[in-house]
Amino acid sequence: MKLFIAFFFVIVLIVFQEQNYCFSLSIPASPGYYQDGDFVIGGLFSLRVTTGDTRSKFGFTDTNPIPEYVYVDFTKHYQHMLAMVFAIEKINKDPNILSNMSLGFYLFNVDFIELKAVQSSMALLSGESPPIPNYNCRPQKIDKLVAVIGGISTGISTQISRVLSLYSVPQISYAPFDQSLGTRVQFQSPYQFPVHTTALYQGIIQLLLYFMWVWVGLVVPDDIRGELFLRDITEELTNHRLCVAFAEKVPEFPAKDTVNRELFRGRFTLASVIVAFGDTYSLLRFVYNIFCNTPFGNVWITTSDWDITTFPFQQNLGYTYFGGGLSFSVHMDEILGFKDFLRSVQPRKYPHDIFIQDVWSILFECPYFDQDWIRELSQCEQNGSLSTRPLHVWDMNTLSSSYKVHAAVYAIAQALHEELSLRVEGSSFNKGVLRAPLPWKLHLFLQRGQFWESINEENVVNKEISTTKLDILNYQSLQSGTKAQVKVGEFVFESNSVQHFTLNDELISWGEHHNQTPFALCSQSCTIGFRKTLVEGKPFCCFDCVPCPDGEIANETDMDQCIKCPEDQYPNKQRNQCLPKIKTFLSYEDTLGAVLASLAISLSTFSAIILGLFICYRDTPIVRANNRNLSYLLLISLMLCFFCSLIFIGQPSRVTCVLRQMIFGIVFSVAVSAVLAKTFIVVVAFKSLKPGSTLQMWMVTRLSNAIVCCGSIIQVCICAVWLGTNPPFPDVDKQSEFGQITFCCNEGSTLAFYCVLGYLGFLSSLSLLIAFLARRLPDSFNEAKTITFSMLVFCTVWISFVPTYLSSKGKTMVAVEILSILASSAGLLGCIFLPKCYAILLRSGSLSRQKFSI
């Protein structure tokens, strides 16, 4: 396309070379505003969005056709022109720049139409509007052209550059910085004002973090700039644990039926905070869609490129659609005298300005007339001041684009001054000798400028600006009823590690929808005691809140993981604090410990009473039956069994931990062995012995003693091995009981512990079996039945002990073992000796040796 334009210009030159006149082609083009000077600077501006023919007889086609239903006047953009006029007037009055040489200007309005930008660029080169390619119809104009300022967007700037670069005319674009602009132009690309995008991204991030807005929507134009912003800001948001609720790409004026209002409405109710990136023109379609819907009450975060105070569809409405919005604007010092200049602007002051009539008619609601407009303007406020106009149609503060235009004029003037200084000797210029330099000679001087960078320069995109200061502005309604952009904070960026963010919350007004700082959350914050759990298929900002598990706390809101309490601490009921655990053990002060100790002492005393009773009635047949020595031994061992349970009560120590298991195992083995011996005597006495045989009885007695000794010695050996390998030791249980640290005894070797129990089970089972077989022997003095019942009780207790013991925790385990000892011992005592006591005390007179004698 670029080569075709160049080739076309050559063909036109050949066809019309022999003709010495200029004529107009039928290309509709806007007239320009010209002011003569020794050097002329062209200016291409955009004051409105209009309907227009997108085709011309040259065959050019506008790449961004504008639908006919759109018509918008950007009266604020007239300030861009006035900034250029003001800068040129100041330079012409300044003797230090260009000395006695003057600057002029040639201004055009291209109306956001790229074809008009091409036509106006050609008009600047030919000096005629409509333009004639390669013809200089007015040498006094074209020979003085030194540079051009424009346009307002990347598309407009690209079309201008495609024309001007053929003649190496310097072009300074005041459009938002676009790093892709250099790739669109094959020749000399326009100069651009740099912007520190990293500072902008970090400023937005810091603002979101300051208000804890983690769920935001993004709105960008559907172009390369929008894609780059979307990619970079999404990465920054993710790095700072922020989420994108949605990303809306706004095309430039699509067809009416391409916007689904329900979908549009649903999208913008997802998030209460929207980050919008773009300029006023590229987001105009989006603004129109906002206007066509009920206000959503969003808080808008924007840059100064999109002027949220300009709402062309709202001029007769009292509602502020973007009220409460926050804008980031590069800090700029006020242009000295510019505000006074704006107050002085009136139609009579600039009678040759063909653009002021349109602007004035709109600003002061005057009727528009094509002829004799100066006279007709007298019917309205021709002496009115721009300072009286509302913010949505005019701004007395310097716009960022106006600041760029003003700086561009001064940069061109400085380049001219340096170029002319090289061509003359001395400090004065001879106006009659010097003429305007060829435009291409200014490139060397312009490239030294500090306000912009050429895209073609190496590493320009990556060039770092030492310090960037961004003002944070809040769009709000003042008490007087007027609208204003109020500075509420600033962000100073020096590097990724050196940043300064300040904000005054009290100055911020959030608009009609919010009385306080709004929230931007996908999910409500998890309170203390709860942690976040991600929702499948949604970003990490969307989560459910679940309570912390046992033993863990969350002492802050929105914690990803709960904190585990130390072993000596436990969480409170709210699970937001770890408390010191209570140190506990089964003590005599506890109710349970006192009851068990009392029961053990009572049973021991009862055993001692029975033993004393047996000693008193030692010569009675019922005591002498089944070997009274075994009865004494069994009673003593049961007394010790009751007493050994007392060792389990109290704070464990190394001695008590060893004694409690050893004494328990050995004493119980003695008791069960004695029962086994008594059972053996019953069987032998009734089946093998002859009555009156002293020798056989002696042998039975010795055998029963051997059974007791052997049964006890085996248990002693097991306990000895246990002590020699891995003996019991005092330990603490920090996990079993909530909020408590239980002092306990660790068995050391679990296998040895269950071997002791298993051996006792073996002896008791053997006794149960033998006693069961002897249950039908003669009743008188026969202990077989009582031993059977006692062994049933004993085995039942210890069989049920194992699962109960394993399922118990803390000091309950100790209580279970004590109860098992007491219950099994009491079973033996009650089943074996209570019938004998009954017989001794109540039936002693009826007993005789005639039935049984040993």
Side-chain angles (χ1 to χ4, degrees):
M1 183 64 182
K2 305 183 185 83
L3 295 177
F4 170 75
I5 295 175
F7 178 73
F8 171 76
F9 288 159
V10 174
I11 295 298
V12 173
L13 177 63
I14 295 174
V15 172
F16 297 104
Q17 186 175 8
E18 296 180 357
Q19 301 185 22
N20 295 322
Y21 59 91
C22 297
F23 61 93
S24 173
L25 297 176
S26 56
I27 304 175
S30 301
Y33 173 25
Y34 180 79
Q35 177 177 302
D36 196 18
D38 296 310
F39 313 111
V40 174
I41 302 175
L44 302 179
F45 301 94
S46 300
L47 301 182
R48 59 186 180 178
V49 180
T50 64
T51 58
D53 184 11
T54 59
R55 295 180 180 272
S56 73
K57 293 185 179 180
F58 279 123
F60 298 140
T61 300
D62 191 355
T63 58
N64 292 305
I66 301 177
E68 295 183 356
Y69 65 88
V70 177
Y71 190 95
V72 176
D73 285 293
F74 288 112
T75 52
K76 287 187 180 182
H77 290 188
Y78 181 58
Q79 190 190 98
H80 305 165
M81 284 187 175
L82 293 180
M84 184 169 177
V85 173
F86 173 72
I88 289 177
E89 288 183 359
K90 282 181 58 179
I91 292 172
N92 290 338
K93 295 177 183 179
D94 189 350
N96 296 321
I97 302 180
L98 298 180
S99 186
N100 57 345
M101 311 292 284
S102 64
L103 284 177
F105 54 79
Y106 200 0
L107 309 182
F108 288 89
N109 174 28
V110 300
D111 284 344
F112 288 97
I113 299 177
E114 294 184 4
L115 180 57
K116 280 190 177 182
V118 174
Q119 295 167 349
S120 299
S121 300
M122 294 167 62
L124 286 172
L125 295 174
S126 65
E128 184 70 21
S129 179
I132 311 282
N134 254 15
Y135 268 76
N136 185 354
C137 299
R138 296 188 181 183
Q140 70 275 15
K141 288 186 180 180
I142 184 62
D143 291 344
K144 298 178 181 180
L145 182 68
V146 292
V148 175
I149 299 175
I152 198 171
S153 67
T154 299
I156 298 293
S157 299
T158 300
Q159 299 303 330
I160 296 172
S161 181
R162 285 174 175 171
V163 176
L164 298 181
S165 62
L166 295 173
Y167 300 90
S168 295
V169 176
Q171 174 196 355
I172 301 176
S173 171
Y174 65 95
F177 184 81
D178 188 349
Q179 64 183 27
S180 67
L181 182 58
T183 63
R184 305 186 184 194
V185 182
Q186 291 183 346
F187 302 101
Q188 177 67 42
S189 61
Y191 296 93
Q192 293 190 87
F193 287 84
V195 61
H196 201 318
T197 56
T198 304
L200 176 61
Y201 297 154
Q202 293 301 319
I204 294 175
I205 295 297
Q206 292 302 319
L207 180 64
L208 296 177
L209 293 175
Y210 181 86
F211 290 113
M212 292 184 291
W213 290 335
V214 299
W215 183 247
V216 297
L218 299 178
V219 175
V220 297
D222 192 9
D223 55 21
I224 296 179
R225 289 181 66 238
E227 288 288 346
L228 292 176
F229 176 83
L230 194 62
R231 181 197 66 187
D232 296 339
I233 197 66
T234 302
E235 181 180 354
E236 289 293 332
L237 289 172
T238 304
N239 292 339
H240 290 82
R241 303 292 295 172
L242 305 175
C243 295
V244 177
F246 66 88
E248 178 80 4
K249 295 182 180 180
V250 182
E252 291 188 4
F253 302 104
K256 290 184 179 180
D257 57 353
T258 59
V259 178
N260 187 320
R261 289 196 177 184
E262 291 299 324
L263 180 61
F264 186 85
R265 182 189 303 274
R267 207 165 244 222
F268 283 88
T269 54
L270 284 176
S272 58
V273 176
I274 311 294
V275 178
F277 175 81
D279 54 62
T280 306
Y281 174 70
S282 64
L283 297 178
L284 190 60
R285 173 78 252 179
F286 170 73
V287 174
Y288 180 77
N289 291 335
I290 292 289
F291 170 74
C292 294
N293 288 274
T294 304
F296 307 123
N298 302 105
V299 175
W300 301 89
I301 301 176
T302 71
T303 65
S304 58
D305 294 332
W306 177 29
D307 185 6
I308 59 177
T309 65
T310 300
F311 199 89
F313 312 105
Q314 181 215 348
Q315 294 184 12
N316 295 324
L317 301 177
Y319 185 81
T320 305
Y321 274 75
F322 300 105
L326 298 169
S327 301
F328 283 87
S329 177
V330 178
H331 178 78
M332 299 176 297
D333 296 327
E334 191 69 30
I335 300 176
L336 187 62
F338 185 54
K339 189 171 291 187
D340 294 333
F341 169 78
L342 293 178
R343 291 192 183 96
S344 67
V345 171
Q346 292 177 348
R348 293 189 181 277
K349 183 178 180 181
Y350 297 99
H352 301 292
D353 186 350
I354 63 174
F355 305 111
I356 197 172
Q357 58 175 317
D358 294 327
V359 175
W360 213 261
S361 297
I362 297 170
L363 291 179
F364 293 93
E365 300 179 358
C366 300
Y368 179 80
F369 297 92
D370 291 334
Q371 298 178 350
D372 199 11
W373 62 274
I374 290 291
R375 183 177 62 82
E376 298 296 343
L377 281 175
S378 63
Q379 299 178 5
C380 59
E381 298 186 41
Q382 65 161 339
N383 294 324
S385 174
L386 294 175
S387 61
T388 64
R389 297 302 87 198
L391 183 61
H392 69 274
V393 294
W394 188 258
D395 196 342
M396 289 299 293
N397 295 317
T398 305
L399 303 177
S400 60
S401 296
S402 300
Y403 190 88
K404 293 179 183 178
V405 172
H406 182 272
V409 173
Y410 266 85
I412 295 171
Q414 185 64 35
L416 279 171
H417 185 86
E418 293 180 5
E419 197 278 338
L420 293 176
S421 298
L422 293 177
R423 288 198 281 153
V424 297
E425 295 180 0
S427 59
S428 63
F429 298 105
N430 188 342
K431 186 175 180 179
V433 176
L434 293 177
R435 55 175 295 177
L438 295 176
W440 62 266
K441 291 186 178 181
L442 294 183
H443 283 295
L444 177 63
F445 304 98
L446 287 174
Q447 289 172 2
R448 301 173 183 173
Q450 299 178 357
F451 299 101
W452 63 83
E453 294 291 344
S454 171
I455 287 294
N456 287 338
E457 289 187 15
E458 185 177 1
N459 298 328
V460 63
V461 176
N462 296 323
K463 181 178 179 180
E464 294 291 331
I465 303 173
S466 57
T467 300
T468 301
K469 183 178 181 180
L470 300 176
D471 292 333
I472 304 175
L473 308 176
N474 178 225
Y475 182 31
Q476 55 184 251
S477 298
L478 303 180
Q479 293 181 352
S480 60
T482 60
K483 306 291 191 302
Q485 288 271 56
V486 179
K487 181 178 178 180
V488 295
E490 64 181 21
F491 176 68
V492 179
F493 181 88
E494 298 182 15
S495 65
N496 288 326
S497 58
V498 181
Q499 303 173 17
H500 306 281
F501 181 87
T502 57
L503 194 69
N504 190 342
D505 299 14
E506 297 179 355
L507 296 178
I508 298 177
S509 171
W510 297 111
E512 291 88 344
H513 286 276
H514 304 284
N515 296 324
Q516 58 184 2
T517 303
F519 296 96
L521 302 170
C522 178
S523 302
Q524 291 298 323
S525 296
C526 291
T527 58
I528 53 178
F530 291 80
R531 67 175 179 87
K532 297 189 296 186
T533 177
L534 297 180
V535 179
E536 186 176 358
K538 291 187 178 181
F540 55 83
C541 293
C542 301
F543 49 82
D544 292 329
C545 298
V546 297
C548 289
D550 293 339
E552 298 183 6
I553 64 166
N555 54 6
E556 296 179 2
T557 58
D558 291 335
M559 292 190 65
D560 295 323
Q561 297 293 334
C562 296
I563 303 173
K564 191 173 182 180
C565 287
E567 290 188 351
D568 58 346
Q569 296 181 3
Y570 71 100
N572 57 0
K573 291 183 178 180
Q574 293 77 22
R575 303 192 179 187
N576 62 352
Q577 183 181 4
C578 291
L579 302 177
K581 287 184 176 180
I582 301 173
K583 297 179 180 180
T584 183
F585 53 88
L586 187 61
S587 65
Y588 294 100
E589 289 78 15
D590 293 340
T591 302
L592 181 60
V595 170
L596 293 175
S598 300
L599 184 59
I601 294 173
S602 299
L603 291 174
S604 299
T605 303
F606 186 61
S607 301
I609 292 173
I610 295 176
L611 177 61
L613 183 63
F614 269 51
I615 294 174
C616 290
Y617 292 91
R618 60 183 177 276
D619 294 327
T620 60
I622 196 169
V623 174
R624 296 179 59 194
N626 291 11
N627 197 331
R628 60 185 173 190
N629 293 330
L630 286 178
S631 298
Y632 297 157
L633 178 62
L634 179 57
L635 285 170
I636 294 172
S637 62
L638 289 177
M639 287 176 58
L640 295 177
C641 287
F642 291 131
F643 275 119
C644 81
S645 62
L646 297 177
I647 307 177
F648 287 80
I649 302 175
Q651 183 172 353
S653 63
R654 182 173 296 276
V655 175
T656 56
C657 286
V658 172
L659 289 179
R660 65 168 60 173
Q661 299 296 350
M662 300 301 112
I663 293 176
F664 157 71
I666 294 172
V667 171
F668 255 87
S669 64
V670 172
V672 177
S673 297
V675 173
L676 178 60
K678 291 176 72 68
T679 307
F680 179 76
I681 290 175
V682 171
V683 175
V684 173
F686 283 95
K687 291 189 175 183
S688 302
L689 297 180
K690 294 179 181 180
S693 177
T694 305
L695 178 61
Q696 290 184 356
M697 195 62 213
W698 179 84
M699 293 178 60
V700 170
T701 302
R702 294 293 181 268
L703 184 59
S704 62
N705 294 337
I707 292 174
V708 173
C709 293
C710 291
S712 302
I713 290 174
I714 293 175
Q715 186 73 293
V716 171
C717 294
I718 295 174
C719 292
V721 173
W722 187 1
L723 288 175
T725 55
N726 193 4
F729 58 90
D731 198 4
V732 289
D733 184 0
K734 299 179 180 179
Q735 306 298 332
S736 297
E737 295 193 49
F738 179 76
Q740 295 182 353
I741 298 177
T742 303
F743 290 92
C744 60
C745 287
N746 191 313
E747 287 83 2
S749 174
T750 306
L751 176 62
F753 175 72
Y754 285 104
C755 285
V756 170
L757 293 181
Y759 180 69
L760 292 177
F762 168 73
L763 293 178
S764 59
S765 300
L766 186 59
S767 299
L768 175 62
L769 177 60
I770 297 174
F772 179 77
L773 295 176
R775 71 188 183 283
R776 297 188 182 275
L777 295 176
D779 289 341
S780 297
F781 311 122
N782 183 9
E783 293 181 306
K785 289 183 179 181
T786 58
I787 291 175
T788 301
F789 284 115
S790 65
M791 286 296 101
L792 282 174
V793 173
F794 187 90
C795 292
T796 302
V797 169
W798 287 106
I799 289 174
S800 60
F801 161 80
V802 175
T804 307
Y805 182 80
L806 294 176
S807 60
S808 300
K809 297 179 180 179
K811 59 184 181 182
T812 308
M813 297 179 66
V814 182
V816 167
E817 190 169 359
I818 293 174
L819 282 174
S820 299
I821 293 172
L822 296 178
S824 59
S825 300
L828 292 177
L829 181 64
C831 293
I832 295 177
F833 292 101
L834 282 182
K836 291 188 177 184
C837 291
Y838 172 78
I840 292 174
L841 296 176
L842 299 180
R843 297 177 58 193
S844 58
S846 62
L847 295 175
S848 66
R849 296 177 57 90
Q850 297 176 357
K851 295 183 178 181
F852 182 78
S853 178
I854 298 180

